Amino acid sequence: DVKVTQSSRYLVKRTGEKVFLECVQDMDHENMFWYRQDPGLGLRLIYFSYDVKMKEKGDIPEGYSVSREKKERFSLILESASTNQTSMYLCASSLLDPGLYGYTFGSGTRLTVV
Amino acid sequence: RKEVEQDPGPFNVPEGATVAFNCTYSNSASQSFFWYRQDCRKEPKLLMSVYSSGNEDGRFTAQLNRASQYISLLIRDSKLSDSATYLCVVNSNTGGFKTIFGAGTRLFVKA
């Protein structure tokens, strides 16, 4: 089975801190994604990457950046954390087109910004 | 109007009941559809794809109605372990690939 591993299950950070969320997948998938999930809103796409060093903005990229230096690793960076970035963050990967094969998600990082 | 809409529920049903959820979508050019299951405080997991011809996997049946722009999920003989949130996912490729997740429908199955 494909495994997507997120480095932290729970994080508490202070407003203004720079925050790094790490994600690693072990099945050589080309595509990787970062979503956030908030009650009543569903999952919203922050950034995605379809190759090493490539990145594309999703629907809500403001306040975030990403890094993909290796195929298996996709990092989400909150440049200066704010309370409205308190959320559940989900990393996902997909084999080729996720419209055909769906996504495999990591177990999520619940981030609280105080 | 949201691009993908689900009744948030919760649906409270007894064990053994049959329950159905619908999910409506606004983009008539949507191409592929999925149902995901999400347990409390866990990640979403792919449950099944949805095809025009319908798709059945054990007690679960997914249907697509393109004319009315909705997909459905039917669960027969509900088990306690079916308690979860069910997310519908709609994919389109107009103006670039796009995935929209519904906010989910919560199901509680009671003994």
Side-chain angles (χ1 to χ4, degrees), chain A residues 9 56 58 79-80 94 104:
Chain A
R9 193 84 173 91
E56 295 284 344
E79 298 291 343
S80 177
S94 73
T104 299

PDB file of all heavy atoms in Angstrom, chain A residues 9 56 58 79-80 94 104:
ATOM      1  N   ARG A   9       1.505  14.993  14.122  1.00  0.00           N
ATOM      2  CA  ARG A   9       0.055  14.794  14.220  1.00  0.00           C
ATOM      3  C   ARG A   9      -0.627  16.042  14.774  1.00  0.00           C
ATOM      4  O   ARG A   9      -1.695  16.423  14.326  1.00  0.00           O
ATOM      5  CB  ARG A   9      -0.205  13.612  15.145  1.00  0.00           C
ATOM      6  CG  ARG A   9      -1.611  13.100  15.094  1.00  0.00           C
ATOM      7  CD  ARG A   9      -1.785  12.123  13.921  1.00  0.00           C
ATOM      8  NE  ARG A   9      -3.104  11.515  13.975  1.00  0.00           N
ATOM      9  CZ  ARG A   9      -4.169  12.024  13.354  1.00  0.00           C
ATOM     10  NH1 ARG A   9      -4.070  13.139  12.655  1.00  0.00           N
ATOM     11  NH2 ARG A   9      -5.328  11.415  13.427  1.00  0.00           N
ATOM     12  N   GLU A  56       2.456  24.415  -8.178  1.00  0.00           N
ATOM     13  CA  GLU A  56       1.346  25.176  -8.741  1.00  0.00           C
ATOM     14  C   GLU A  56       0.460  25.635  -7.591  1.00  0.00           C
ATOM     15  O   GLU A  56       0.212  24.872  -6.651  1.00  0.00           O
ATOM     16  CB  GLU A  56       0.509  24.306  -9.683  1.00  0.00           C
ATOM     17  CG  GLU A  56       1.241  23.830 -10.923  1.00  0.00           C
ATOM     18  CD  GLU A  56       1.391  24.905 -11.964  1.00  0.00           C
ATOM     19  OE1 GLU A  56       0.678  25.927 -11.864  1.00  0.00           O
ATOM     20  OE2 GLU A  56       2.209  24.726 -12.884  1.00  0.00           O
ATOM     21  N   GLY A  58      -2.884  26.384  -5.647  1.00  0.00           N
ATOM     22  CA  GLY A  58      -4.236  25.864  -5.619  1.00  0.00           C
ATOM     23  C   GLY A  58      -5.232  26.999  -5.441  1.00  0.00           C
ATOM     24  O   GLY A  58      -5.030  28.113  -5.926  1.00  0.00           O
ATOM     25  N   GLU A  79       4.685  31.047   6.212  1.00  0.00           N
ATOM     26  CA  GLU A  79       5.749  32.043   6.350  1.00  0.00           C
ATOM     27  C   GLU A  79       5.663  32.805   7.672  1.00  0.00           C
ATOM     28  O   GLU A  79       6.671  33.071   8.314  1.00  0.00           O
ATOM     29  CB  GLU A  79       5.698  33.020   5.181  1.00  0.00           C
ATOM     30  CG  GLU A  79       5.918  32.355   3.819  1.00  0.00           C
ATOM     31  CD  GLU A  79       7.343  31.852   3.635  1.00  0.00           C
ATOM     32  OE1 GLU A  79       8.243  32.276   4.402  1.00  0.00           O
ATOM     33  OE2 GLU A  79       7.575  31.024   2.737  1.00  0.00           O
ATOM     34  N   SER A  80       4.460  33.154   8.072  1.00  0.00           N
ATOM     35  CA  SER A  80       4.238  33.866   9.333  1.00  0.00           C
ATOM     36  C   SER A  80       2.858  33.457   9.832  1.00  0.00           C
ATOM     37  O   SER A  80       1.845  34.007   9.387  1.00  0.00           O
ATOM     38  CB  SER A  80       4.311  35.382   9.109  1.00  0.00           C
ATOM     39  OG  SER A  80       4.028  36.069  10.302  1.00  0.00           O
ATOM     40  N   SER A  94      -0.832  11.161  -5.565  1.00  0.00           N
ATOM     41  CA  SER A  94      -1.630  10.404  -6.528  1.00  0.00           C
ATOM     42  C   SER A  94      -0.742   9.856  -7.625  1.00  0.00           C
ATOM     43  O   SER A  94       0.267  10.461  -7.993  1.00  0.00           O
ATOM     44  CB  SER A  94      -2.737  11.266  -7.139  1.00  0.00           C
ATOM     45  OG  SER A  94      -2.197  12.207  -8.044  1.00  0.00           O
ATOM     46  N   THR A 104      -4.281   9.420  -2.177  1.00  0.00           N
ATOM     47  CA  THR A 104      -3.945   8.770  -0.921  1.00  0.00           C
ATOM     48  C   THR A 104      -3.495   9.865   0.034  1.00  0.00           C
ATOM     49  O   THR A 104      -2.571  10.620  -0.286  1.00  0.00           O
ATOM     50  CB  THR A 104      -2.827   7.734  -1.094  1.00  0.00           C
ATOM     51  OG1 THR A 104      -3.269   6.729  -2.008  1.00  0.00           O
ATOM     52  CG2 THR A 104      -2.499   7.076   0.238  1.00  0.00           C
TER      53      THR A 104
END
